[in-house]
Amino acid sequence: NTIAFTSDRKLMSLIVKNKETGKIILYSKGAETSVFSRLTSEAKFQQATESFLKQFAEEGLRTLCYAYRELDEQTWSNWNESFQRAAADINDRQQSVDRVSLEIEKEFVLLGSTGIEDKLQDGVSDCISTLRECGIKVWVLTGDKQETALNIAHACSLFDSNMKILSINTTDETTTRSRLSVCLSHFSENPDSEMIRLSSESIGMIIDGKSLDFVLQNPQLRESFIRIGTKCSSVVCCRVSPSQKAEITKLVKKRNKSICLAVGDGANDVAMLQAAHIGVGISGKEGLQAVQASDYSIAQFRFLKKLVLVHGHWNYRRIARVMTY
């Protein structure tokens, strides 16, 4: 069996049978948050693996965890029947498959982790710097670990060395609310406030996927989050799922009167591209799903500068002339 990756599970699994020994083994790969939460209580090397993952992430590498589980014939047979029924479900197929998949994706034994280098394309740093100089707020929504996302943000000039970084990395709603209040105090308009009030141009924010879950489910936290985000010069959302990317895009569109442009290069960016006012797909090794779902297509990220600042300006003038004709 092959259990495809979904944004809710953040796992992909494969069930194979060794013809020589007859053993049935489930192999899984995915984000460390998903794998670690499904390990057996006797799992070894977790602490060492976490250390390696942190080291990989600090070097800007994209990380994955691997685990396995041995299954007996009866367990696999019973599960396979449920899996086949779920796959044939007409009404809620994806939800049924996810539910059945989670029944067997547990009690893992940790195999290890990998770190893969994902180099930035040429001209990314210059493109983002120019867009920021033009007063355009830049948000990065990524599935990478926080350390990896932070490293890449500095590498592509999204964050600079003089910038104050507000970090939101919480495990429950109460802590999330408290942390958002602290972050919001940096923008206090009360002149008697003891908190040092910084210019929005020198503040950036980074938030992880678990904290975003609490934010997006609570209207008050959602309002606080968007108030902070719109005041920051740059925002990074890490470990986010495709559905969260779309929700954040819709939230920014609803809260602000500005035009929202989304850029993506893979299938996991399709929902975000369709949620924005304008979607720009980058054609490359990730496939053509993003290109097919977008309004405009470019070959490399650096071409976004000319698309927005040159062709965008020309289009603005053409439309203005037509409106006043």
Side-chain angles (χ1 to χ4, degrees):
N1 303 91
T2 300
I3 309 174
F5 173 89
T6 63
S7 58
D8 293 327
R9 290 170 30 254
K10 295 183 180 178
L11 283 174
M12 177 184 176
S13 299
L14 190 67
I15 300 177
V16 297
K17 184 174 183 178
N18 189 318
K19 291 183 178 180
E20 295 180 359
T21 62
K23 285 185 177 180
I24 300 174
I25 304 177
L26 165 70
Y27 291 102
S28 288
K29 68 173 183 177
E32 80 284 349
T33 51
S34 300
V35 174
F36 287 166
S37 63
R38 294 174 171 83
L39 294 177
T40 60
S41 56
E42 297 84 15
K44 299 179 181 180
F45 312 120
Q46 181 174 343
Q47 190 172 356
T49 303
E50 287 178 345
S51 176
F52 284 125
L53 285 170
K54 185 176 181 181
Q55 181 183 337
F56 292 156
E58 288 174 349
E59 293 174 6
L61 304 180
R62 310 194 80 167
T63 59
L64 275 179
C65 277
Y66 297 83
Y68 76 96
R69 176 190 177 188
E70 290 190 10
L71 306 171
D72 57 62
E73 189 76 35
Q74 187 63 42
T75 301
W76 174 80
S77 179
N78 293 338
W79 175 85
N80 188 48
E81 290 180 9
S82 301
F83 182 72
Q84 297 302 330
R85 285 197 300 269
D89 192 343
I90 298 175
N91 298 320
D92 300 308
R93 180 178 302 165
Q94 191 59 60
Q95 289 82 352
S96 300
V97 169
D98 282 351
R99 185 173 61 254
V100 174
S101 300
L102 291 174
E103 292 175 3
I104 202 167
E105 289 176 328
K106 60 183 180 181
E107 299 177 3
F108 285 148
V109 176
L110 186 62
L111 274 174
S113 62
T114 58
I116 302 172
E117 186 176 13
D118 189 12
K119 286 186 176 181
L120 290 174
Q121 293 180 351
D122 293 335
V124 172
S125 179
D126 177 63
C127 177
I128 291 178
S129 295
T130 305
L131 293 176
R132 289 183 60 206
E133 288 175 6
C134 295
I136 297 174
K137 299 291 182 74
V138 181
W139 290 40
V140 172
L141 314 179
T142 177
D144 292 331
K145 274 176 65 67
Q146 183 166 328
E147 293 85 355
T148 303
L150 194 57
N151 194 296
I152 293 173
H154 282 289
C156 67
S157 301
L158 192 68
F159 292 162
D160 56 55
S161 57
N162 298 321
M163 185 178 285
K164 169 76 175 178
I165 308 299
L166 305 177
S167 177
I168 303 174
N169 190 345
T170 57
T171 55
D172 57 75
E173 186 174 322
T174 304
T175 312
T176 305
R177 187 188 302 276
S178 174
R179 184 62 189 152
L180 285 171
S181 299
V182 172
C183 292
L184 199 57
S185 66
H186 284 281
F187 305 99
S188 173
E189 296 178 359
N190 180 8
D192 299 324
S193 173
E194 295 180 1
M195 181 65 70
I196 299 175
R197 290 175 288 118
L198 302 173
S199 166
S200 62
E201 292 302 316
S202 61
I203 297 183
M205 178 172 67
I206 184 166
I207 182 171
D208 70 336
K210 186 173 288 187
S211 302
L212 273 172
D213 277 336
F214 303 123
V215 167
L216 296 174
Q217 292 170 10
N218 188 304
Q220 291 181 336
L221 298 184
R222 198 159 54 229
E223 179 62 24
S224 298
F225 167 72
I226 199 66
R227 283 179 61 193
I228 297 168
T230 51
K231 290 178 181 290
C232 290
S233 61
S234 304
V235 177
V236 174
C237 302
C238 55
R239 276 290 184 244
V240 294
S241 64
S243 58
Q244 285 178 323
K245 290 182 180 181
E247 286 188 63
I248 295 169
T249 305
K250 291 175 183 176
L251 184 61
V252 173
K253 274 178 61 178
K254 183 178 179 181
R255 181 65 165 74
N256 296 306
K257 302 298 182 183
S258 305
I259 300 298
C260 180
L261 181 146
V263 187
D265 64 351
N268 58 348
D269 298 317
V270 169
M272 174 185 69
L273 292 170
Q274 294 178 336
H277 289 112
I278 303 167
V280 178
I282 301 176
S283 56
K285 295 181 180 180
E286 296 278 348
L288 295 176
Q289 291 95 327
V291 170
Q292 293 168 349
S294 61
D295 301 300
Y296 297 93
S297 172
I298 54 178
Q300 293 189 29
F301 187 90
R302 61 190 174 94
F303 298 149
L304 183 67
K305 180 168 72 172
K306 183 170 284 190
L307 177 67
V308 174
L309 303 182
V310 179
H311 295 285
H313 176 67
W314 288 348
N315 269 349
Y316 183 83
R317 292 192 64 180
R318 292 187 189 111
I319 292 172
R321 286 184 177 182
V322 169
M323 295 295 291
T324 57
Y325 182 71

